[in-house]
Amino acid sequence: MSSAPRIVIVGGVAGGASAAARARRLSETASIVVFERGPYVSFANCGLPYHIGGVITDRSRLLLQTPASLNARFEIDVRVQTEVIAIDPAAQVVVARNLKTGVEVREPYDALILSPGAEAIRPPVPGVELPGIFTLRNMGDMDAILEVSSKPAARKALIVGAGYIGLELAEQFRHRGMAVALVERLPHVLGVADTEMTFPLHEELRRQQVDLRLGRAVAGFTAEAEGLVASLDNGDLISCDLVVLCVGVKPEASLALQAGLALGPAGGIQVDDQMRTSQPNIYAVGDAVEVREFVSGGQALIPLAGPANRQGRIAAEVVLGRASRYKATQGTAICKVFDLSFAMTGLSEAALQRKGLAYQRIYVHPADHATYYPGAHPITLKLLFAPGDGRILGAQAVGTAGVDKRIDVIAVAQRAGLTVFDLEDLELCYAPPFGSAKDAVNMAGFVASNVVRGDMGLWEPEELQGRAGHQVLLDVRTPQEHAQGTIPGSLCVPVDQLRERLSELPLENEYLVFCQVGVRAYIAARLLTQHGYQVRNLSGGYRRYAMWKGTHTVPLACEAALQHEDGE
């Protein structure tokens, strides 16, 4: 490629804008042209729900770059409201149409970077094209939703789909004082998460007066004099003033397909680890491409802003002669749901099962900081790891505070190839307002390492359905905690009384021990094991059992015992 290459970029926002800026930083002589179909070349699409809710009050704060700013700083030729309608790979030319004037131009390229993004899915149900039914992918969508929701008569919003955007919008419409109904076809919110990890979110949504309809799908929409009516698959009717469809996205790959680029099994553009497509000198980045999933190594669509930015940067570097490579996507993400946050990295348990990968799991419920310092809140952390070597496969966490920090640490550990044994040894910040001497990540490492080493056997709530006669459920919490809620059929022997009451526990039984969150039960299991008993612990304790049942989590009044199980 010449020292002054002609680089054409299709699409702005995260991937395209990052590629353009990086290309200029590497080459002052390159000719760089960006075609963007919409009116904005670079905007914060993750911030759209928060402007709708009024948390981000200044709309202009969402505009990260404009054509003028990109030209002034980087001398990049940005052409907004111009759609690339064809690619001729043999001639290395794109055909672009100005959407305001209809004028078409042919733009030659030495390197072409595609960043077309993904389009929101509109389910094929009757009435889905009625006025007042929206999707949310860009500034125009946001403005249209805001125009309707700002009217005094707009009092009820319906959100279809409880993924990240659906949950964020539910919070923001409630922030506006609107009544909100949230319909999700799955039995739980956040389809990327494991079922039991979402029940705290269900409780929080209901606490915030969101009408949560799980396991339901919209069968159709009708317009009435006072607004819209959605009919559900069970016959229920929901009246509303506006609807936002948040049922997912699909890659915008039609232009790539027309140009003869290979697509992957999920319909995204196929790329290698240098973002090259199947056609010479054509690269693709962002939500439209299939990437290598970090844990399994398989191909996947993982539409996230962080990876899109890195891919754009890498494509520009490769075009300009650097040997950069994209090193797979972990799917690290977080979502705020009113006063709770949910975050994850790597694969979920459900995904591991679908892929047929062997795994083990543990749960811990430590506080976000030292419990003797005011304002401590519990975090529920699930860690998935490989049997034998303890390789980190995934993690999920939900809580009021500190969730992002813990998942970020585990994501870095996973990326670096560390194991659960390394989590034991991580040296993390500690002062009472910020953490504990044994951080939540350390605690997860301790428990998982005990399992891998064989120091502790685990039992799972699913085993209760076929429990054998010689298996005894042993609750080692206090009688007061036991009385507030326990697993039916359990025997209560507090851990501090266990040694003096061993005579009450026949040796021929197997004891399935549990406490509030697993720590006291681990102590009890070690004690009993050394006295010759067969014993296994319930990871995550009674709190885990309650989440598995899906009825409720442990009442906050019980958290006092939880907080003091792991002293410093």
Side-chain angles (χ1 to χ4, degrees), residues 485-525:
T486 192
I487 302 175
S490 62
L491 171 68
C492 180
V493 181
V495 64
D496 293 339
Q497 300 175 14
L498 198 54
R499 286 184 182 84
E500 63 194 60
R501 295 178 60 178
L502 288 176
S503 61
E504 302 175 28
L505 306 176
L507 270 170
E508 61 268 21
N509 292 329
E510 180 187 21
Y511 293 91
L512 308 180
V513 299
F514 66 94
C515 60
Q516 198 82 335
V517 297
V519 180
R520 283 175 288 179
Y522 168 64
I523 295 169

Side-chain angles (χ1 to χ4, degrees), residues 6 13 28 34 40 51 87 94 102 176 180 211 228 238 249 262 318-319 323 348 355 369 393-394 402 462 475 480 557:
R6 295 171 298 180
V13 194
E28 266 295 302
V34 177
Y40 305 103
H51 182 59
I87 302 170
V94 301
R176 295 186 64 89
V180 175
D211 180 7
L228 295 162
I238 299 177
V249 297
V318 173
V319 165
S348 66
K355 294 176 181 294
H369 64 251
L393 303 177
E462 293 84 354
D475 185 348
Q480 293 81 6

Side-chain angles (χ1 to χ4, degrees), residues 46 49-50 55 162-175 182 189-190 200-201 204-205 207-208 210 333-344 397-401 403-404:
C46 293
Y50 298 101
V55 174
Y164 290 116
I165 295 175
L167 291 174
E168 290 166 354
L169 278 173
E171 177 182 353
Q172 293 309 304
F173 282 134
R174 288 296 296 134
H175 191 260
L182 180 57
V189 301
L190 280 179
L201 303 180
E204 178 67 4
L205 288 162
R207 187 178 74 85
Q208 299 288 348
V210 173
I334 189 167
C335 183
K336 180 179 181 294
V337 184
F338 296 97
D339 292 337
L340 291 181
S341 298
F342 172 88
M344 68 180 296
V398 61
T400 302
V403 166
D404 53 343

Side-chain angles (χ1 to χ4, degrees), residues 299-316:
Q299 295 300 111
L301 290 169
I302 307 177
L304 293 170
N309 273 284
R310 292 196 299 278
Q311 292 160 13
R313 179 185 176 94
I314 288 167

